[in-house]
Amino acid sequence: NIPSIGLDSLIKQLAVLDLDDARTYETPKNIVGQIPGTANPGELGNIWLFGHLESPIRGEGDIFSELPKIPLFLQEKHRIYVILQTMKGDYLYEATDSDVMHESDLSLYQGSQATLTMVTCVPRFIYDHRLLITAHLVGHRPTT
């Protein structure tokens, strides 16, 4: 849930697919997908979440269509929060950074802090770069 961009979605653990002599992650369809083996909410390490900016040909949704607004909000010093709701409670992350890199430069990393990285493809109709929004854990409200 990212209130500032009106995003409310379930998160699904993505499967690893075998494609002949290569392996790849399942494509998230109309949902936010978590890369398997990455941290879980509240844990030390990095939670990697992927979603489509748009999917005009395959119709796999546009769950992260508003994600490109976040870098501007951060430049304007707005506080952007991401809420991950789990059976153990709600975890509150605050977005702190954004970056754009070529798709071939993206590598997943864990890190030593409780971090969340959201990724989508940019720019529209080309999709050869990745927008990364990084957020850090700032609070937890246990389920009662």
Side-chain angles (χ1 to χ4, degrees):
N1 183 348
I2 307 175
S4 60
I5 61 171
L7 175 65
D8 190 9
S9 173
L10 294 175
I11 298 172
K12 178 186 179 229
Q13 185 91 198
L14 298 176
V16 178
L17 306 175
D18 287 318
L19 302 175
D20 297 325
D21 60 349
R23 294 175 62 113
T24 188
Y25 297 112
E26 169 188 17
T27 301
K29 296 174 180 71
N30 299 301
I31 199 164
V32 174
Q34 180 181 357
I35 297 297
T38 65
N40 290 310
E43 292 180 351
L44 294 180
N46 201 349
I47 305 169
W48 285 89
L49 300 178
F50 283 66
H52 285 290
L53 178 71
E54 58 195 355
S55 180
I57 295 172
R58 293 186 176 167
E60 295 174 331
D62 62 352
I63 201 74
F64 275 169
S65 64
E66 301 297 314
L67 204 65
K69 291 181 178 179
I70 292 179
L72 179 61
F73 292 160
L74 291 173
Q75 285 178 345
E76 294 173 347
K77 305 293 185 208
H78 294 276
R79 296 183 85 135
I80 307 298
Y81 294 104
V82 180
I83 304 162
L84 300 183
Q85 297 172 317
T86 73
M87 298 297 282
K88 295 180 181 179
D90 297 344
Y91 294 88
L92 181 66
Y93 290 79
E94 183 175 356
T96 55
D97 299 293
S98 68
D99 195 10
V100 176
M101 61 180 53
H102 191 270
E103 63 187 345
S104 63
D105 294 334
L106 179 63
S107 61
L108 305 183
Y109 57 87
Q110 276 299 348
S112 59
Q113 297 179 359
T115 304
L116 165 70
T117 302
M118 297 173 286
V119 182
T120 196
C121 300
V122 292
R124 282 189 83 201
F125 305 119
I126 299 172
Y127 314 116
D128 64 348
H129 284 73
R130 302 295 177 258
L131 169 65
L132 284 72
I133 304 295
T134 304
H136 297 281
L137 184 66
V138 294
H140 173 243
R141 182 176 56 209
T143 301
T144 54

